[in-house]
RNA sequence: GGCGCGGUAGCAAAGUGGUAAUGCAGUGGACUGCAACUCCUCCAUCGUCGGUUCGAUUCCGACCCGCGCCUCCA
């Protein structure tokens, strides 16, 4: 199967045709850095991380751009509340974001442009729009986009411009020509951070920075533009209006949007305040569990953040690591070496079909069963299958940890039972002696004692291993 | 109100015009001193009602329910 992906613009799954054969230019809307990242952000980050890893594994030359919006009203407000410089706030949040990404093993994008570093590009684009009457300046130094000049407005989010006009809220004292118009540039109020412009000191509006940065990094037209579930309207709709009016070219060929993360059947969001930060979650769960959890549903489906679901992810991952445990020395092979493998084929087909990670996981689980069965009789063959499983896991950014360590850690970030490995292993030795002397009461006593504290002992011919539940 | 998405086993979640993957949990069995792991086995007629069809969970229509966007949010 060739690569197909769901395009928000057409609301259909489409065959993917790159602008340049073999090459994919992709822009993903990143974070507005005024607060810590939450699991909703993590979902987008992980989804496009896995998408990029997979595409590269299939030989695509992916140029992945993900921006940082580091100037914006929310940033200014928060900095003001904190009584700090806006740039101190954004620097701190960018550092935190990078730490979170690293913890989740999210590979950095090829280019990570910052809005404040592209002020000239932003101003150039605004100027073009003003020159072509797609935008107008007002007396207070604002510049607005003239939506009525762009008849295709609404095509991404499937909205009728007339309906938008009817539904738009008109603010008191509004200086806009049309309630649908949106700010490209905002004149600075006294004391506010600002940049010089032909319309006086000010700062960019919310949407223009993405148009400017994406065009700057990837050209007038590029292949894929991605982002979170709340971006099609108005953010991406406005990007299209800005960019297509400014360049006269089609802006983006394929639009991809991730599904929402929910809590108690409600969207997790900053405005609802029901969000869990990435670091909250990582305090409790191993990063791989979080990744696995996010990949256990299709990237476009809503997903529920809950203890139960994270626990289920943990248990599922443990099945993988249990199979890998005896094969710590086996290295992943390259996907090229797997041509002809049934599991690899299923995996690739699933991923080529709009990145169906769940379907791909099903193939991996079937591979696990195969490994567990064959390991009993044919070590060489089992090792080959393990190498394959690790290779597929690498595309997802999972199964790269030491299986023993993962299982002994119980998937938790840190042990809370106060038992050290030395203590546990000392008890295992004592139990071995007891068993040798057929003192099964003592042997079982030790097992029970440890089990009560979450440590499971497992006997095999090679000896006793342990793991945390 | 406008636009869109979804309702599949206890839970999670894929998928297909010809009676439904996978994971967790559970059942029965093999293995084990016991147990765990592992393997085998069992466990769903796919929201409701109609229509098209030889045949629909899969296509069409209506309805019910849930959710998202329409205001800042990934």
């Amino acid at each position: 199967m060739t690569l197909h992906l769901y395009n928000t613009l057409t609301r259909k799954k489409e065959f993917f045709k790159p602008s340049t054969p073999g090459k994919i230019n992709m822009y993903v809307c990143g974070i507005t850095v005024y607060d810590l990242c939450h699991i909703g952000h993590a979902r987008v980050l992980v989804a496009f991380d896995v998408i990029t890893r997979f595409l590269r594994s299939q030989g695509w030359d992916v140029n992945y751009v993900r921006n940082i919006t580091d100037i914006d009203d929310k940033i200014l407000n928060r900095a003001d509340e904190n009584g700090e410089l806006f740039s101190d706030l954004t620097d701190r949040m960018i550092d935190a974001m990078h730490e979170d990404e690293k913890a989740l093993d999210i590979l950095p994008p090829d280019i990570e442009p910052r809005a404040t570093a592209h002020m000239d590009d932003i101003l150039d684009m605004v100027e073009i729009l003003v020159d072509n009457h797609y935008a107008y300046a007002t007396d207070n130094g604002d510049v607005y986009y003239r939506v009525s000049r762009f008849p295709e407005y609404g095509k991404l989010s499937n909205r009728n411009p007339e309906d938008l006009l009817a539904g738009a809220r008109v603010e008191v004292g509004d200086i806009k020509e049309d309630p649908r118009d949106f700010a490209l540039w905002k004149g600075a109020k006294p004391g506010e951070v600002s940049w010089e412009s032909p319309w006086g000191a000010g700062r960019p509006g919310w949407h223009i920075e993405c148009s400017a940065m994406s065009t700057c990094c990837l050209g007038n037209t590029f292949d894929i533009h991605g982002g979170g579930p709340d971006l099609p309207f108005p953010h991406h709709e406005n990007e299209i209006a800005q960019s297509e009016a400014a360049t006269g070219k089609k802006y983006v060929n394929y639009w991809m949007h991730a599904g929402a993360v929910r809590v108690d059947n409600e969207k997790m969001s900053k405005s609802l305040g029901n969000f869990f930060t990435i670091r909250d979650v990582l305090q409790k769960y191993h990063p791989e569990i979080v990744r696995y959890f996010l990949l256990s549903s299709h990237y476009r489906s809503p997903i529920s953040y809950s203890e139960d679901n994270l626990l289920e992810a943990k248990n599922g991952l443990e099945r993988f690591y249990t199979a890998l445990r005896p094969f710590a020395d086996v290295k992943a092979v390259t996907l090229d070496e797997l041509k002809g493998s049934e599991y690899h084929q299923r995996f690739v087909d699933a991923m080529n079909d709009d990145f169906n990670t769940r379907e791909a996981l099903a193939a991996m689980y079937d591979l696990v069963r195969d490994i567990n069965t064959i390991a009993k009789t044919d070590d060489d063959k089992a090792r080959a299958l393990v190498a394959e499983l690790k290779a597929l896991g690498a595309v997802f950014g999972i199964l790269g940890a030491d299986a023993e360590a993962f299982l002994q850690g119980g998937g938790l970030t840190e042990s809370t039972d106060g038992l050290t490995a030395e203590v546990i292993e000392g008890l295992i030795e004592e139990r071995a002696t007891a068993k040798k002397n057929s003192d099964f009461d003592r042997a079982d006593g030790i097992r029970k004692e440890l089990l009560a504290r979450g440590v499971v002992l497992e006997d095999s011919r090679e000896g006793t291993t342990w793991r945390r539940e």
Side-chain angles (χ1 to χ4, degrees), chain A residues 388-407:
Chain A
E388 173 164 4
L389 180 59
K390 288 189 178 182
L392 299 181
V395 175
F396 281 174
I398 59 172
L399 309 186
D402 179 68
E404 187 83 357
F406 183 90
L407 293 169

Side-chain angles (χ1 to χ4, degrees), chain A residues 60-88:
Chain A
W60 291 97
D61 176 12
V62 182
N63 188 198
Y64 178 20
V65 179
R66 193 185 61 226
N67 75 289
I68 295 174
T69 295
D70 62 350
I71 177 67
D72 151 273
D73 286 357
K74 291 185 295 299
I75 292 171
L76 295 179
N77 291 152
R78 181 62 61 86
D80 199 42
E81 281 168 28
N82 294 352
E84 65 183 328
L85 236 43
F86 90 98
S87 54
D88 287 345

Side-chain angles (χ1 to χ4, degrees), chain A residues 80-378:
Chain A
D80 199 42
E81 281 168 28
N82 294 352
E84 65 183 328
L85 236 43
F86 90 98
S87 54
D88 287 345
L89 172 66
T90 55
D91 284 349
R92 200 169 67 246
M93 289 307 157
I94 289 170
D95 285 346
M97 174 183 83
H98 284 149
E99 280 169 23
D100 291 344
E101 287 169 2
K102 206 168 165 198
L104 286 171
D105 197 18
I106 291 159
L107 301 176
D110 296 291
I111 309 175
E112 190 173 53
R114 292 172 61 157
T116 53
H118 284 265
M119 215 45 83
D120 291 345
D121 299 311
I122 290 170
L123 286 168
D124 284 350
M125 191 172 267
V126 177
E127 223 168 328
I128 291 171
L129 291 171
V130 171
D131 288 349
N132 296 332
H133 309 288
Y134 279 104
Y136 56 93
T138 55
D139 293 342
N140 62 348
D142 292 351
V143 180
Y144 292 96
Y145 187 92
R146 187 173 274 131
V147 170
S148 61
R149 275 268 290 163
F150 191 72
E152 290 187 294
Y153 193 79
K155 66 181 174 181
L156 176 67
S157 50
N158 195 26
R159 263 152 241 246
N160 182 329
E162 301 304 313
D163 293 346
L164 286 168
L165 189 54
R169 79 162 101 161
V170 181
E171 281 149 42
V172 183
D174 211 328
I175 47 178
K176 295 187 286 188
E177 290 177 357
D178 181 317
R180 296 169 302 184
D181 293 352
F182 55 91
L184 299 174
W185 189 259
K186 295 184 175 188
K189 297 186 185 74
E192 278 182 345
V193 60
S194 63
W195 286 259
E196 279 312 313
S197 85
W199 313 281
R203 62 176 185 278
W206 173 31
H207 317 289
I208 191 71
E209 90 281 13
C210 278
S211 281
M213 288 187 278
S214 59
T215 301
C216 177
C217 296
L218 297 172
N220 291 159
T221 302
F222 55 94
D223 300 295
I224 297 174
H225 190 135
D230 33 24
L231 296 183
F233 190 92
H235 186 55
H236 289 157
E237 199 68 71
N238 291 354
E239 276 187 59
I240 291 174
Q242 293 162 343
S243 291
E244 299 195 348
T247 68
K249 301 277 185 351
K250 186 176 187 191
Y251 179 44
V252 167
N253 290 136
Y254 301 88
W255 287 90
M256 295 179 66
H257 294 94
V261 176
R262 294 182 188 166
V263 178
D264 298 330
N265 213 25
E266 236 183 6
K267 194 179 85 156
M268 179 184 296
S269 75
K270 291 283 181 68
S271 51
L272 288 172
N274 62 346
F275 62 92
F276 292 81
T277 66
I278 293 175
R279 27 198 76 190
D280 285 342
V281 178
L282 289 185
Q283 204 137 39
K284 227 169 156 194
Y285 298 98
H286 187 104
E288 236 180 286
I289 293 175
V290 179
R291 272 187 86 94
Y292 178 94
F293 161 67
L294 295 172
L295 294 174
S296 60
S297 299
H298 185 88
Y299 75 91
R300 279 190 285 114
S301 306
I303 190 169
S304 280
Y305 175 82
S306 69
E307 293 278 316
D308 281 356
N309 286 159
L310 266 291
L311 226 49
E312 191 176 305
K314 167 184 173 302
N315 290 339
L317 254 191
E318 277 176 357
R319 179 166 167 79
F320 282 120
Y321 273 119
T322 303
L324 294 178
R325 190 176 209 172
F327 302 99
D329 58 316
V330 176
K331 298 262 181 301
V333 291
T334 65
L335 291 198
D336 277 345
E337 296 172 63
L338 294 177
K339 298 271 160 67
S341 154
E342 172 208 340
Y343 301 110
H344 167 261
Q345 194 56 51
R346 280 172 60 194
F347 181 94
V348 170
D349 283 348
M351 288 300 284
N352 268 329
D353 184 11
D354 196 32
F355 310 106
N356 192 336
T357 50
R358 182 64 182 215
E359 182 81 16
L361 277 174
M364 290 171 68
Y365 277 113
D366 285 338
L367 175 53
V368 165
R369 184 177 307 110
D370 213 356
I371 288 170
N372 287 333
T373 302
I374 286 171
K376 292 174 188 164
T377 55
D378 186 340

Side-chain angles (χ1 to χ4, degrees), chain A residues 41-51 104 106 291 294-295:
Chain A
H41 297 109
R43 184 175 201 191
V44 175
L45 260 15
V46 168
F48 285 99
D49 181 52
V50 167
I51 286 168
L104 286 171
I106 291 159
R291 272 187 86 94
L294 295 172
L295 294 174

